[in-house]
């Protein structure tokens, strides 16, 4: 009996694919189904306080989209 061992595989039934190696996405390929954050407009802040506000808005959008772990309450 030969044994086959792979870092990348799809479990029986096809419900789960495990990537243990490198996943390379070539030019022209696409990935669907991933979350996307709401657009954050370019900052027009003229002082540090305004920049903090813009940056916090970006963080909130990343968290809402599930791209960043939300703050603990």
């Amino acid at each position: 009996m030969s044994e086959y061992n792979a870092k990348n595989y799809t479990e029986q039934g096809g419900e789960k694919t495990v990537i243990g190696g490198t996943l390379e996405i070539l030019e022209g390929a696409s990935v669907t189904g991933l979350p996307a954050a709401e657009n954050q407009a370019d900052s027009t802040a003229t002082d540090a306080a305004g920049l903090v506000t813009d940056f916090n808005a970006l963080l909130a959008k990343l968290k809402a989209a599930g791209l960043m772990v939300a703050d603990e309450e």
Side-chain angles (χ1 to χ4, degrees), residues 2 23 29 35 38 42 48 52 57 61 67 72:
S2 68
L23 175 63
E38 184 181 335
D42 292 347
V52 167
K61 289 173 183 174
L67 298 169
E72 292 185 21

Side-chain angles (χ1 to χ4, degrees), residues 6-59:
K7 290 183 178 182
N8 305 331
Y9 59 91
T10 299
E11 290 186 354
Q12 192 169 10
E15 292 294 321
K16 179 179 178 181
T17 299
V18 176
I19 306 295
T22 299
L23 175 63
E24 181 178 354
I25 300 171
L26 300 176
E27 185 175 338
S30 64
V31 177
T32 60
L34 297 176
E38 184 181 335
N39 182 57
Q40 175 66 35
D42 292 347
S43 178
T44 57
T46 57
D47 60 15
L51 189 56
V52 167
T53 299
D54 291 346
F55 183 71
N56 286 339
L58 173 61
L59 294 177

